[in-house]
Amino acid sequence: MEYYCLGARNFAAMAVSPFPTGRTRRKALRVRTKQSAVDCNHSSYKVTARATSSNAGSESCVAVKEEDYIKAGGSQLVFVQMQQNKSMDKQSKLADKLPPISIGNGILDLVVIGCGPAGLALAAESAKLGLNVGLIGPDLPFTNNYGVWEDEFRDLGLEGCIEHVWRDTVVYIDEDEPILIGRAYGRVSRHLLHEELLRRCVESGVSYLSSKVERITESTSGHRLVACEHDMIVPCRLATVASGAASGKLLEYEVGGPKVSVQTAYGVEVEVENNPYDPSLMVFMDYRDCTKQEVPSFESDNPTFLYVMPMSSTRVFFEETCLASKDGLPFDILKKKLMARLERLGIQVLKTYEEEWSYIPVGGSLPNTEQRNLAFGAAASMVHPATGYSVVRSLSEAPNYASAIAYILKHDHSRGRLTHEQSNENISMQAWNTLWPQERKRQRAFFLFGLALILQLDIEGIRTFFRTFFRLPKWMWHGFLGSSLSSADLILFAFYMFIIAPNDLRKCLIRHLVSDPTGATMVRTYLTL
């Protein structure tokens, strides 16, 4: 449950109405706002794709609507909405602290769509640089439980938002000795994080509109027109979508990339008796078999682990997590597995304080970096494909991304207002290249390869993988868990992993590299200069 989904919980405020849809691009298929539209419907979803022919448009439309449907929650949408709509009384309303966007009175430099951690952080950092920034999205609280490596949050200047710290983190793979990671872990206060990011927005002068966004179009003068509910139009020079993974209605994504997978987790914060876990240690993963093989086929086909935050000896947050699956392991199955695990461990639940339904899309395609609209956070595919990392990366990259946006806007302003499509695409691409340089793409290709491997492993394969993983030199697996390894480091990581792996895992790695499309994509991406 980190910003990281070896327990990470990614906040995705739905700033898109009514539900996300999508527009995409192939090599021979350009999606443009000025071309004819092909509409296709999928239950409550409506997806619009622009194509050179109706057949091509229909094909693209079907592929995109299915991916956006999964990103928004798929068959688990009711639970996702329950999580988003939790009441968090301590968190301030944005509209009570931020001045309203003045409709019809000038043009904003930047509109940020989405009010999660990524959106608030980017809005604050951009406004701090002198940009006139408007924030648009539903006024929703932070509802997910966040866990972080303490040193990473301290480096962000957010250590004051951590409400509980464990001196170390432990991993259980099987009945052998547990593995101590040697790194302090913290639980973030949702209230304090929300208030801190909101404070930064207030101090930097961000304005706000509580509304869902219907579409983004282009004016004859080259500005972006953000169309909101109730026929409100907000003009701006650039628009950045930070409304979570399911933002296809406002963004274009590449077609032909890997399909999106899902990490799901069901958690409860409870008062208990007979808690067997040390309150001074955070349990990062417990892959031990607590069913004692009573249902071996079920356990084998749906590998899950337990994530544990002991707040005290009696108050504990337990979460049953499926690291990744193609369609998302349903929450009712995760709940049954969690309850069975607690019963087997002899843990008696006396009181339930909170339930959590965590749904995190991982993998999938990158945004089309030739499009005019920008993106940030999960909308920009910044979720770590192999682990679910999201928010820490967004918070750490917000200042640099804001600087890139400010530079291109101020540079363009010195040459005159935005006028032509070619000029607009060029300045947007500068920002996209800051967010997704080739080095980042190489890293992501490596992680996508790892994600595809995880999807193929049963419970014994998962345990073998992690036994090998934690035998690597400490700097390697520390760096992997902290997302600090370069693309070159990751290649060394892979070679070292192969050398120390047992034969069965070696064969699996070779077969996966040769036969899975992510292997060829990884090699091609690494060779691209």
Side-chain angles (χ1 to χ4, degrees):
M1 185 198 68
E2 235 236 301
Y3 286 128
Y4 193 82
C5 253
L6 282 175
R9 306 301 163 241
N10 159 44
F11 181 92
M14 287 295 183
V16 180
S17 169
F19 286 112
T21 61
R23 292 176 293 182
T24 59
R25 165 186 175 271
R26 289 182 186 271
K27 292 180 180 178
L29 172 63
R30 283 290 181 89
V31 184
R32 290 288 180 251
T33 57
K34 298 178 181 178
Q35 291 175 295
S36 60
V38 180
D39 293 341
C40 27
N41 294 285
H42 189 297
S43 62
S44 60
Y45 283 77
K46 186 177 182 182
V47 180
T48 305
R50 272 70 172 176
T52 55
S53 70
S54 60
N55 288 338
S58 298
E59 179 185 351
S60 174
C61 186
V62 170
V64 176
K65 72 177 180 182
E66 290 180 354
E67 179 146 314
D68 242 22
Y69 171 73
I70 293 172
K71 285 181 177 180
S75 64
Q76 304 300 296
L77 181 60
V78 171
F79 294 102
V80 173
Q81 292 173 334
M82 286 170 58
Q83 179 67 24
Q84 291 171 347
N85 293 325
K86 284 182 179 179
S87 176
M88 296 286 165
D89 295 334
K90 288 185 177 181
Q91 296 181 30
S92 301
K93 286 290 186 181
L94 302 180
D96 292 340
K97 297 291 184 71
L98 297 175
I101 291 176
S102 181
I103 306 297
N105 185 21
I107 297 172
L108 295 168
D109 292 319
L110 175 69
V111 163
V112 177
I113 300 164
C115 304
L120 290 178
L122 181 62
E125 293 295 335
S126 300
K128 194 193 313 184
L129 297 174
L131 297 182
N132 187 5
V133 179
L135 180 69
I136 302 178
D139 201 342
L140 298 175
F142 294 180
T143 59
N144 288 345
N145 279 291
Y146 297 130
V148 293
W149 301 114
E150 184 198 22
D151 56 340
E152 289 186 344
F153 234 49
R154 186 171 60 246
D155 291 344
L156 292 171
L158 293 171
E159 64 273 17
C161 298
I162 297 179
E163 64 182 4
H164 192 99
V165 176
W166 293 269
R167 61 178 173 81
D168 206 345
T169 314
V170 65
V171 172
Y172 298 91
I173 303 299
D174 46 32
E175 300 304 325
D176 292 339
E177 286 296 313
I179 300 164
L180 289 174
I181 290 180
R183 197 174 186 187
Y185 198 80
R187 173 169 168 167
V188 175
S189 164
R190 292 166 285 189
H191 161 64
L192 292 178
L193 178 62
H194 183 272
E195 298 308 295
E196 173 60 22
L197 295 178
L198 176 55
R199 181 191 66 80
R200 295 180 183 186
C201 286
V202 171
E203 290 185 353
S204 58
V206 174
S207 56
Y208 175 64
L209 173 63
S210 179
S211 174
K212 293 178 181 178
V213 172
E214 304 287 352
R215 62 192 174 275
I216 306 171
T217 57
E218 181 179 347
S219 71
T220 54
S221 61
H223 294 111
R224 311 308 288 159
L225 302 176
V226 181
C228 304
E229 296 172 302
H230 311 300
D231 298 322
M232 287 187 291
I233 304 294
V234 180
C236 60
R237 298 172 67 197
L238 278 179
T240 300
V241 181
S243 53
S247 296
K249 183 175 185 177
L250 306 178
L251 294 169
E252 305 164 6
Y253 291 87
E254 295 176 349
V255 174
K259 291 186 177 181
V260 68
S261 301
V262 180
Q263 179 180 114
T264 49
Y266 171 80
V268 288
E269 185 162 342
V270 290
E271 195 76 25
V272 300
E273 283 184 350
N274 305 320
N275 173 29
Y277 293 103
D278 184 345
S280 68
L281 298 175
M282 183 272 163
V283 181
F284 198 59
M285 293 190 301
D286 188 346
Y287 265 114
R288 290 176 295 182
D289 178 16
C290 289
T291 65
K292 302 303 178 186
Q293 296 299 323
E294 291 176 5
V295 241
S297 61
F298 181 82
E299 174 66 19
S300 179
D301 293 341
N302 299 273
T304 62
F305 63 87
L306 184 64
Y307 176 94
V308 186
M309 284 181 160
M311 307 303 294
S312 69
S313 59
T314 60
R315 182 163 179 160
V316 188
F317 179 79
F318 295 105
E319 192 158 60
E320 193 76 21
T321 303
C322 178
L323 191 56
S325 63
K326 293 180 180 178
D327 300 313
L329 192 61
F331 289 114
D332 60 344
I333 294 178
L334 287 164
K335 183 175 182 177
K336 290 176 183 176
K337 295 188 77 171
L338 176 58
M339 295 303 118
R341 188 188 292 270
L342 297 183
E343 182 178 358
R344 175 64 69 176
L345 290 170
I347 299 172
Q348 182 180 355
V349 176
L350 304 178
K351 180 180 180 180
T352 300
Y353 295 100
E354 183 181 359
E355 288 183 281
E356 176 167 280
W357 300 272
S358 176
Y359 186 96
I360 302 174
V362 291
S365 297
L366 284 174
N368 168 14
T369 56
E370 294 180 11
Q371 65 187 304
R372 287 284 315 283
N373 300 332
L374 299 176
F376 192 60
S381 302
M382 291 171 67
V383 178
H384 192 301
T387 65
Y389 242 132
S390 174
V391 181
V392 165
R393 180 184 170 190
S394 295
L395 293 177
S396 63
E397 292 197 19
N400 188 45
Y401 194 46
S403 295
I405 292 173
Y407 173 80
I408 61 177
L409 285 176
K410 291 176 181 179
H411 179 68
D412 180 81
H413 184 70
S414 67
R415 296 182 304 162
R417 64 190 178 91
L418 304 178
T419 53
H420 301 293
E421 182 177 350
Q422 184 64 39
S423 171
N424 281 300
E425 286 192 349
N426 285 341
I427 68 164
S428 295
M429 285 183 68
Q430 292 177 51
W432 279 116
N433 289 336
T434 299
L435 197 63
W436 282 111
Q438 193 59 35
E439 169 66 9
R440 277 290 190 187
K441 291 180 179 179
R442 292 189 187 103
Q443 293 169 334
R444 188 173 192 270
F446 185 94
F447 294 137
L448 287 171
F449 176 79
L451 171 63
L453 175 65
I454 290 293
L455 291 171
Q456 296 177 9
L457 298 177
D458 59 14
I459 184 61
E460 284 307 318
I462 288 282
R463 288 178 182 141
T464 300
F465 177 87
F466 281 113
R467 285 191 204 102
T468 306
F469 177 86
F470 285 108
R471 286 176 54 212
L472 291 167
K474 199 169 186 178
W475 71 268
M476 282 189 179
W477 55 265
H478 260 223
F480 189 94
L481 294 178
S483 296
S484 61
L485 297 182
S486 68
S487 60
D489 291 335
L490 290 171
I491 293 298
L492 183 60
F493 169 98
F495 277 118
Y496 210 114
M497 186 97 173
F498 183 81
I499 290 171
I500 67 174
N503 287 334
D504 286 348
L505 183 55
R506 286 181 185 174
K507 292 177 183 177
C508 182
L509 288 168
I510 294 172
R511 183 169 59 250
H512 185 60
L513 178 62
V514 172
S515 62
D516 195 273
T518 58
T521 300
M522 179 178 65
V523 172
R524 185 168 58 250
T525 305
Y526 263 80
L527 294 177
T528 301
L529 299 177

